[in-house]
Structure formats: C-alpha cells, structure tokens
Amino acid sequence: TADHAFPVGDHGIYFNEVGSFEESFRIPCLILWQDHINTKLDTENVFSQMDIAPTILSTIHAMPSLHHFQGQNMLKSVIEKSPVYLIQPYNGTILSVIDFPYKYVKRIRTGEEWVFNLEDDPQEETNIFNRIESTLILDSLRKSIQYIFLNQYLIENNQIFPEKPSELD
C-alpha cells in the first residue's frame, strides 16, 4: 500500500498537500500470502491505514488479547461498517471522517467545515453543511473527529498495548 494518493487535477488540485477530497486519499492495498490468503477484490468496503496492523496481526494469529488498536481485520468474511478517518497534515491540518454516506471535513486552523453526501455527490462538489436538517447527524460527525485525537494520544503515550488489564477501564 502507499502512504497517500496523489491528485491529478480533479477539483483543480495537483498537489497532495492541499487536498481533502477522495482522490487525495484513496489508495489500493494489496495483501499477498501464498497458500494462506485467498484472492479477492473488495470493492464494497472502505478501510483505513489504521486497519493494516489489526489485519496483519489477526491473519498471523498474533493479535494480543489486550490492545488499543482502533482498526479492524480487512480480511474477515463479515466486515463491520465503521467510520473511516482521514488526516491531511498540511495546509492547516484537515481532519475528515467518512460515515457513509456522509463525509465530514474540518480544517483545524480556520475552523471551516464541510459535509458531503458521497452517495448523492461522489465528486464532492456540493457542501451541504448548512443544509443538514438533523443536528444529530452533524453532532455525531463532529464528535467522531475526536477519535483521531484519541488515536494520536495513544500512539504518543505508548498506550497501544496496555501493561495491565486495569488500564482498559
């Protein structure tokens, strides 16, 4: 897999450092393990790089019983639909969450917010932030961004693998 995609002019963006659209994030992931993993092309699910470690550890039966990994095994037969988190660290840090069909985007430096309905608007041309009738949806999308900060905190404080079960409380 790659660490990022690269836009080629969609939305007028030619540099990865400024994009928060799908073409700046969508990357392929190829997992090969001869005689252990069956070939399949998954076009139905969306995953994040946070899913890579849990996938590898689960596949080789090395997932610890206690951990704070926030991703899921991409090779499971039944995939849990869960939000996908995106981080654009340049140009004022842009954080996004895709909780299909919605994509919420927030530029941290300016506080600007966007919401796209990816089902109705897959090219992300119309910001519907001011048109969302349900404050529950908007509140949920905003709150889910906090998950990114939690993940960063866990990494920075070496809390991916807790030392004792009591640390999970």
Side-chain angles (χ1 to χ4, degrees):
T1 192
D3 65 342
H4 61 79
F6 196 85
V8 291
D10 294 341
H11 296 99
I13 298 171
Y14 293 91
F15 302 99
N16 201 46
E17 292 82 9
V18 296
S20 61
F21 298 102
E22 289 293 291
E23 62 268 14
S24 293
F25 291 99
R26 194 165 291 268
I27 57 174
C29 180
L30 176 65
I31 302 173
L32 301 172
W33 190 13
Q34 189 172 352
D35 300 326
H36 290 88
I37 299 175
N38 294 327
T39 303
K40 79 173 190 174
L41 175 63
D42 188 341
T43 59
E44 299 296 315
N45 296 295
V46 178
F47 298 102
S48 165
Q49 290 172 329
M50 291 188 338
D51 297 312
I52 294 172
T55 299
I56 292 170
L57 292 172
S58 295
T59 302
I60 64 171
H61 306 291
M63 180 65 90
S65 58
L66 297 174
H67 63 82
H68 289 312
F69 283 113
Q70 296 178 24
Q72 64 175 315
N73 182 348
M74 297 181 283
L75 301 175
K76 289 190 311 189
S77 57
V78 177
I79 301 298
E80 301 169 25
K81 298 290 185 186
S82 60
V84 175
Y85 303 92
L86 308 171
I87 301 170
Q88 172 58 273
Y90 308 106
N91 198 22
T93 304
I94 302 169
L95 303 178
S96 306
V97 61
I98 299 173
D99 195 351
F100 200 80
Y102 297 105
K103 178 178 180 182
Y104 171 74
V105 181
K106 181 170 185 171
R107 185 183 310 264
I108 299 302
R109 182 175 56 200
T110 63
E112 295 171 275
E113 298 173 287
W114 298 266
V115 176
F116 300 99
N117 183 322
L118 298 176
E119 190 170 51
D120 298 340
D121 180 21
Q123 298 302 311
E124 300 172 76
E125 295 176 347
T126 305
N127 180 5
I128 62 167
F129 177 79
N130 291 322
R131 292 190 225 154
I132 293 182
E133 294 178 15
S134 170
T135 56
L136 291 176
I137 292 172
L138 187 55
D139 289 347
S140 174
L141 291 167
R142 283 176 167 156
K143 186 176 181 181
S144 64
I145 288 291
Q146 296 304 313
Y147 204 62
I148 295 172
F149 293 110
L150 172 61
N151 187 63
Q152 187 64 30
Y153 173 85
L154 293 172
I155 291 169
E156 289 174 359
N157 290 282
N158 196 23
Q159 294 293 312
I160 297 298
F161 297 103
E163 294 178 24
K164 301 179 260 184
S166 63
E167 289 186 21
L168 291 175
D169 296 333

